[in-house]
Amino acid sequence: MSDFLEVLSTYDIAGAFWVNIRLAFFAGIFGLALGTVLALMRVSPVPSMRAIGSGYVTLFRNTPLTIIMVFCISVLWSVLGLRLSSDFTANFFWLAVLALTVYHAAFFCEAIRSGVNTVPVGQAEAARAIGLPFLAAARLVIFPQAFRGAIAPLGNTLIALIKNTTVAAAVSVPEVSILMKEMIENNGNYVVPIFMAIAVGFVVIVIPVGLVTTFLSQRLAVSR
Amino acid sequence: MSVEDVTPVADQATGDADERFPAPSREPLIVLQDVQKHFGELHVLRDIDLTVHKGEVVVVLGPSGSGKSTLCRAINRLEPIDSGTILLDGEPLPLEGKPLARLRADVGMVFQSFNLFAHKTILENVTLGPIKVKRMKPAEAKELAMQLLERVGVANQAHKLPAQLSGGQQQRVAIARALAMQPKAILFDEPTSALDPEMVNEVLDVMVSLAREGMTMIVVTHEMGFARKAADRVIFMADGQIVEQAEPDAFFTNPRSDRAKDFLGKILTH
Ligand SMILES: Nc1ncnc2c1ncn2[C@@H]1O[C@H](COP(=O)(O)OP(=O)(O)OP(=O)(O)O)[C@@H](O)[C@H]1O
Ligand SMILES: [Mg+2]
């Protein structure tokens, strides 16, 4: 046991998890922002906006994340020369954030849209009836209620995002699953304990997210 | 109407039918010409010609599905029409965008299910339009809102959420919210039919007081007491058409069409 702990302590596990947390943090913020814009498009009165919104969601929700991740590196970076940072490692980190963002935005969009569905149509009609144009009605009346009705599905999307940050391994971002692979290769006798340690690490990160979103979704529910 | 010359509702609730209502002017405010509307195959508004004058109170009656709600919703373009024209104060309804939003601010709407903004306080429900649409200063909007809430008798609930109020109170707030935009006319779509019976009168009293002050109103309702007391004209609709129009007393005592006779027979026996 103490041997195992010694093995663990020779690796910067916390540092690797910190990469995953940062990936999730940035992709979460950007993905939520993009998802909100997409949700707005999907409920907009303009047919072409709705078409773009639903086209985006269909495309990215049905494409495997690994493929988007590899696309970002091999097409955006290798072929088109897209650089999100002048630092080589940071560039890969931000390309991974980009992939996680565009992929999860589709899911954030759908989570928000399920929240929009909890808002009775009468709310939108009343907003239009006092003369609010679409965007103002969305910003002041519909979306504030929609977010409050979407906290649980948004939380689920965030949890999926946190776990999906490990896909950044596909483009060599030094996050925790790469470290795990390295640890297992060097310490073949501890495969199961190493695996367990990393899994527990994710559980420790993800459980509070679930608890907080459950709490908030009850706390902030709009009473009707 | 202006906000300064409001009379408290309590005084009017006791007012009797003899009290004088202002006679409507002959100046047209809402004009519908040859309006047609379909929902798929269903012809919900047929050949609608209707002129509502400034200060006039029109009650719309008719069986379920006859197109009463669609008529109201067409007038502030919550529902687009297929053909025909709708004029408000001489101007055709704008098709979309900012001009349409401005028009909607000029025509208030009160819904059967109140539709107060559930996440905002009563006060915020009333100030939202003035602040965001009319660009009124928040302090000014708040003062206006408090006057209106006072007048409909719910000022003491100003900081509660809609769900904490009774249906009758919510509907009175919805009327205050419409009034806060200082509209040229208000459309009411069955404003009392979602209410418990004991709350119907508190809402009707507010509406009667508005009528008395000369507000132009189109009211879909089966409350005959209100129609007799406040309406200048009753319109009877069936199958998307205006079948009959008359003064309330004439209509209720002596309907001309068979459809209207049949309809009145049904609602009177209940
Ligand atoms: N959005 C819609 N899509 C399709 N059909 C509709 C829609 N709204 C209303 N209708 C139909 O149009 C007809 C007229 O509806 P409308 O709501 O105007 O009737 P109404 O006179 O207000 O009836 P009620 O007394 O039941 O409120 C009905 O047959 C209704 O089913
Ligand atoms: Mg109706």
Side-chain angles (χ1 to χ4, degrees), chain A residues 122-123 125 128-129 131 140 145, chain B residues 73 101 104 115-119:
Chain A
Q123 299 281 304
E125 293 194 336
R128 285 155 74 200
L140 299 166
Q145 297 183 57
Chain B
R73 296 161 57 82
R104 289 209 180 108
N115 294 348
L116 294 180
F117 306 132
H119 63 308

Side-chain angles (χ1 to χ4, degrees), chain B residues 9-64:
Chain B
V9 175
D11 294 353
Q12 284 143 2
T14 52
D16 56 69
D18 291 333
E19 225 170 297
R20 296 188 65 81
F21 284 75
S25 68
R26 300 316 297 167
E27 214 178 318
L29 181 63
I30 299 171
V31 179
L32 288 84
Q33 289 164 341
D34 194 24
V35 169
Q36 313 288 343
K37 163 86 187 170
H38 291 79
F39 281 121
E41 291 289 288
L42 196 66
H43 202 164
V44 265
L45 294 179
R46 292 173 197 255
D47 320 320
I48 300 287
D49 286 301
L50 173 67
T51 300
V52 179
H53 299 92
K54 282 192 182 139
E56 197 176 8
V57 177
V58 174
V59 161
V60 182
L61 283 173
S64 180

Side-chain angles (χ1 to χ4, degrees), chain B residues 233-244:
Chain B
R233 184 159 43 128
V234 169
I235 286 179
F236 176 74
M237 287 184 75
D239 296 331
Q241 275 177 309
I242 296 179
V243 176
E244 191 167 337

Side-chain angles (χ1 to χ4, degrees), chain A residues 120-133 136 139-142 144-145 148 222-224, chain B residues 73 76-78 98 101 104-105 107 109 111 115-120 128-129 132-133 161 163 177 181:
Chain A
V121 271
Q123 299 281 304
E125 293 194 336
R128 285 155 74 200
I130 60 168
L132 291 172
R139 184 169 60 84
L140 299 166
V141 176
I142 310 305
Q145 297 183 57
R148 291 166 61 170
V222 181
S223 48
R224 305 198 183 279
Chain B
R73 296 161 57 82
N76 68 354
R77 217 168 179 284
L78 283 178
K98 286 265 150 64
R104 289 209 180 108
V107 182
M109 178 120 190
F111 302 85
N115 294 348
L116 294 180
F117 306 132
H119 63 308
K120 294 200 174 285
L128 186 72
K132 298 296 176 181
V133 179
L161 289 170
R177 176 174 69 179
M181 298 306 290

Side-chain angles (χ1 to χ4, degrees), chain A residues 91-186:
Chain A
N91 187 37
F92 272 55
F93 174 84
W94 288 111
L95 284 167
V97 168
L98 176 65
L100 288 165
T101 297
V102 296
Y103 177 77
H104 289 92
F107 293 88
F108 280 123
C109 167
E110 290 306 274
I112 295 166
R113 214 163 62 100
S114 77
V116 172
N117 289 338
T118 67
V119 184
V121 271
Q123 299 281 304
E125 293 194 336
R128 285 155 74 200
I130 60 168
L132 291 172
F134 168 73
L135 276 179
R139 184 169 60 84
L140 299 166
V141 176
I142 310 305
F143 276 62
Q145 297 183 57
F147 277 111
R148 291 166 61 170
I151 290 172
L154 285 172
N156 290 340
T157 306
L158 179 59
I159 288 171
L161 166 60
I162 291 171
K163 295 188 288 185
N164 285 342
T165 54
T166 52
V167 176
V171 294
S172 314
V173 172
E175 52 70 61
V176 78
S177 69
I178 286 195
L179 183 73
M180 182 177 83
K181 222 169 113 201
E182 185 191 322
M183 287 165 76
I184 288 172
E185 273 160 17
N186 297 338

